[in-house]
Amino acid sequence: MAEAQNSKFPIYAVIITVLFKLLFLLTHYIQEDAFITWRVAQNLLDYGVIGFNGATRISASTTHLYVFVSYIFNLIFGKENFIEPLLIFNSILFTIGTLFLSHLVLKNPWHKAFFIFLIGILPPSIKISILGMEYGLLFFLEMALLYYGFHKGKKWVLTLLPVLIMFTRVDTVIFLGIAFLVDTFWNKKIRWNYVLGGVLGILSTLAFNWFYFGEVVNNTITAKKLLYEENFTFQQHIHYFFKSFGNFWGMLKLPGDFNPFTIVVLIFELLCFIYLIRQRGSRNYFLWIIFIFGWTKQLIFLSQKSLFDWYYWVPQLLLFVPVLIFVLEQKERRNLWLSLLVGIYILPMLAFQTVHAIATGNGEWNYRRTIGTFLNQYEKDKNQWILLEPAGYIPYFSGLKTIDEVGLVDKQIQEEIKKDKVNYWINTVKTRKPKYLLSYQNLDEGKNAEYYKTHYKLLKEFRVKDHLNSKNKILEKIYHLKPSGTDYNLYIRVD
């Protein structure tokens, strides 16, 4: 009876962890890119087309499967009410994923319960759960593949889940490939069901891209590569790698190029991993998969200068797994080890993430969103165009047709980038003549000032400092401690 009761502790931990993270929904901290995906889902709902601007097909979102999930939530709850249910769904999926992971690396139910809660309140876990992106779904699918496919040996899982995983994000080929290599090396045989799943995943994703969008890879990948790619020397590549390493490998960003905190955590992660695999347990198989994947993905994305936080969330968590196992399985002075881990690392990181979520939520929801709502009320003709960057909050809440500077949601601007990368912005304005321009700069100054003065006028200024006040003095201190957002100038065409 007691053993059956103990076996339920991990389930209780899942429930408690999800409920705890629901508090972060109050911060309204939602990632900009989530609103790109949600607008694509609503475009599918309104026009029957996967796109961003009406009937034009474009893979503006980095994920296909999550677009369809978002579409279903819009269909069920409506456009005005789907966000909170979807965020809760993401949090539940992610936390169930940590339950699967706990089954792979731990035996004691109490250890599993502590593992689920502690890993669930780390900054990457909170961001995966509440920022509205596809990583809760992705983590659930990847851990389900490891648990039901490789651990339980379910052949249908080995075939089906790689397809769903690839359809969620194409860069998951890294995870799928490493799982294949470790499994083949470990078991000295090939799982052909898994090979079939991988092949089907790649072919179905590429075929969908080609036959629906007329492209091999997502437009988001093509657009970012086109705009951000630079010709660096080998020495510049190395410098850039180490400059980014400190802030993207670990969970805490610090000003400057060097982050000693990251180095300390990385060394401890390595030591714990080495300590665990020397025990030669059956779980080493899964420890090798997640640890090699964590290192490989981070090295690849850092070397490609991919400076978006969300690429690193899952690897950051998986690399920290050996630390949690090491502490939880201590036979002597475990309480001391656990207290040190919680007191020195987890609670400070949780406090940091809380402050960050409150400040960034203010900058995004209370500030950037209001630009979109202003435009929504000001411009009733939703067929008018706006040129801006980024393409999340403001296009979503304004409802306007959108040209973004990167070309994520509009392919035509990519042609201007190809022709003249230096002057593509002004060339786009002259060619497309959008009714609205939203810029970080004062367009009435600079080499193209005369053109802007002739054809546009300043409609409204939006300033971060105007959104740092609150009736709650604690919130106000946080807003001023970490102001979030960018000043904008909104221009309207006059001819």
Side-chain angles (χ1 to χ4, degrees):
M1 185 70 176
E3 185 175 341
Q5 185 68 26
N6 289 344
S7 66
K8 295 181 180 178
F9 286 150
I11 304 297
Y12 299 151
V14 168
I15 296 171
I16 292 170
T17 306
V18 170
L19 292 175
F20 179 82
K21 284 190 287 190
L22 290 183
L23 294 172
F24 283 87
L25 296 181
L26 300 174
T27 66
H28 294 293
Y29 179 25
I30 302 175
Q31 178 62 40
E32 181 87 25
D33 288 55
F35 285 99
I36 298 178
T37 297
W38 295 342
R39 171 146 163 173
V40 172
Q42 292 179 358
N43 199 85
L44 178 60
L45 192 66
D46 294 337
Y47 296 92
V49 172
I50 300 175
F52 200 86
N53 293 312
T56 303
R57 296 183 180 188
I58 185 171
S59 53
S61 174
T62 55
T63 171
H64 294 323
L65 184 59
Y66 189 57
V67 165
F68 290 114
V69 172
S70 301
Y71 168 84
I72 292 171
F73 271 77
N74 272 274
L75 200 62
I76 295 172
F77 295 98
K79 293 180 182 179
E80 302 298 325
N81 304 305
F82 82 95
I83 293 179
E84 286 77 11
L86 181 54
L87 297 182
I88 294 170
F89 178 72
N90 289 343
S91 185
I92 291 171
L93 283 184
F94 170 77
T95 312
I96 293 174
T98 64
L99 173 66
F100 293 153
L101 180 57
S102 73
H103 290 329
L104 296 173
V105 297
L106 293 164
K107 294 180 179 179
N108 187 304
W110 273 105
H111 293 171
K112 292 179 182 180
F114 276 105
F115 175 89
I116 291 166
F117 183 74
L118 292 178
I119 200 171
I121 62 174
L122 288 171
S125 300
I126 294 170
K127 288 184 278 192
I128 289 172
S129 298
I130 69 161
L131 262 65
M133 296 186 70
E134 64 271 16
Y135 286 93
L137 171 64
L138 182 60
F139 189 81
F140 169 81
L141 292 173
E142 290 176 338
M143 295 305 107
L145 174 65
L146 293 182
Y147 181 67
Y148 287 107
F150 290 101
H151 180 62
K152 294 290 187 179
K154 303 290 185 182
K155 293 183 179 180
W156 66 269
V157 171
L158 290 171
T159 304
L160 175 62
L161 289 196
V163 177
L164 298 178
I165 289 169
M166 277 292 296
F167 209 60
T168 305
R169 286 190 67 92
V170 293
D171 57 28
T172 53
V173 69
I174 300 171
F175 174 82
L176 296 173
I178 288 171
F180 170 76
L181 292 175
V182 173
D183 178 68
T184 303
F185 177 82
W186 192 273
N187 294 306
K188 305 295 190 294
K189 64 177 182 179
I190 296 175
R191 296 185 195 244
W192 292 108
N193 296 83
Y194 183 58
V195 173
L196 175 62
V199 171
L200 289 175
I202 294 172
L203 291 179
S204 61
T205 302
L206 296 182
F208 179 79
N209 283 341
W210 179 255
F211 288 109
Y212 193 86
F213 299 110
E215 58 196 19
V216 178
V217 297
N218 294 41
N219 176 67
T220 53
I221 297 173
T222 304
K224 290 175 184 176
K225 184 178 180 181
L226 178 64
L227 185 63
Y228 297 139
E229 191 172 49
E230 296 183 44
N231 294 319
F232 285 167
T233 64
F234 178 76
Q235 193 171 16
Q236 287 174 317
H237 276 293
I238 297 297
H239 172 75
Y240 208 97
F241 177 88
F242 284 104
K243 181 179 180 180
S244 305
F245 166 79
N247 280 332
F248 289 100
W249 192 284
M251 301 180 195
L252 179 66
K253 286 187 176 182
L254 294 176
D257 296 349
F258 179 69
N259 190 339
F261 189 80
T262 297
I263 304 297
V264 172
V265 173
L266 183 149
I267 292 172
F268 197 48
E269 288 172 345
L270 270 174
L271 292 175
C272 290
F273 175 74
I274 293 169
Y275 172 84
L276 292 176
I277 61 171
R278 285 172 62 87
Q279 297 177 2
R280 299 185 181 277
S282 59
R283 70 179 173 195
N284 285 6
Y285 166 76
F286 295 105
L287 288 176
W288 276 111
I289 290 176
I290 64 176
F291 212 71
I292 293 175
F293 164 69
W295 271 78
T296 303
K297 182 171 182 181
Q298 301 220 125
L299 286 173
I300 290 174
F301 275 73
L302 282 172
S303 66
Q304 295 301 307
K305 295 172 285 297
S306 302
L307 306 183
F308 298 102
D309 288 1
W310 47 90
Y311 295 142
Y312 305 94
W313 291 342
V314 173
Q316 286 170 359
L317 288 175
L318 294 181
L319 290 175
F320 199 72
V321 166
V323 176
L324 291 174
I325 298 172
F326 172 79
V327 171
L328 290 170
E329 291 189 341
Q330 287 298 306
K331 292 181 172 59
E332 297 181 5
R333 298 182 178 178
R334 181 174 57 210
N335 291 340
L336 175 61
W337 277 97
L338 190 58
S339 299
L340 290 173
L341 176 65
V342 172
I344 294 177
Y345 188 81
I346 292 181
L347 284 182
M349 293 297 281
L350 177 61
F352 163 79
Q353 183 57 40
T354 301
V355 171
H356 178 71
I358 292 171
T360 309
N362 178 63
E364 297 288 3
W365 188 265
N366 295 335
Y367 170 55
R368 204 194 303 264
R369 180 180 63 95
T370 60
I371 304 175
T373 56
F374 168 81
L375 279 164
N376 184 57
Q377 294 174 355
Y378 184 86
E379 179 57 70
K380 301 304 180 185
D381 181 4
K382 301 309 176 186
N383 288 316
Q384 295 296 337
W385 290 81
I386 182 171
L387 172 60
L388 51 60
E389 178 63 26
Y393 274 88
I394 298 166
Y396 182 88
F397 286 101
S398 70
L400 297 176
K401 298 290 183 66
T402 301
I403 309 167
D404 68 303
E405 293 180 4
V406 181
L408 301 180
V409 305
D410 181 88
K411 279 190 175 182
Q412 291 184 52
I413 198 172
Q414 294 178 26
E415 298 305 315
E416 296 293 347
I417 296 172
K418 292 175 185 177
K419 288 187 288 186
D420 187 352
K421 196 171 185 178
V422 175
N423 299 301
Y424 81 94
W425 212 89
I426 182 62
N427 292 340
T428 300
V429 174
K430 291 178 178 179
T431 304
R432 305 282 294 276
K433 298 179 174 61
K435 184 173 181 178
Y436 297 97
L437 304 176
L438 187 67
S439 175
Y440 309 124
Q441 310 296 329
N442 181 355
L443 298 182
D444 292 334
E445 299 176 354
K447 66 177 183 177
N448 297 305
E450 287 306 313
Y451 178 86
Y452 291 121
K453 289 178 181 178
T454 302
H455 299 284
Y456 289 88
K457 70 173 183 179
L458 181 66
L459 178 62
K460 188 174 175 62
E461 294 179 339
F462 296 92
R463 298 293 180 259
V464 174
K465 63 181 178 60
D466 297 331
H467 293 264
L468 299 180
N469 298 320
S470 172
K471 294 179 181 178
N472 186 306
K473 294 304 177 184
I474 295 177
L475 292 180
E476 188 170 290
K477 287 182 179 179
I478 293 174
Y479 297 161
H480 282 273
L481 175 68
K482 191 181 181 298
S484 179
T486 308
D487 291 341
Y488 287 103
N489 297 316
L490 179 63
Y491 298 86
I492 185 171
R493 194 167 184 91
V494 295
D495 58 357

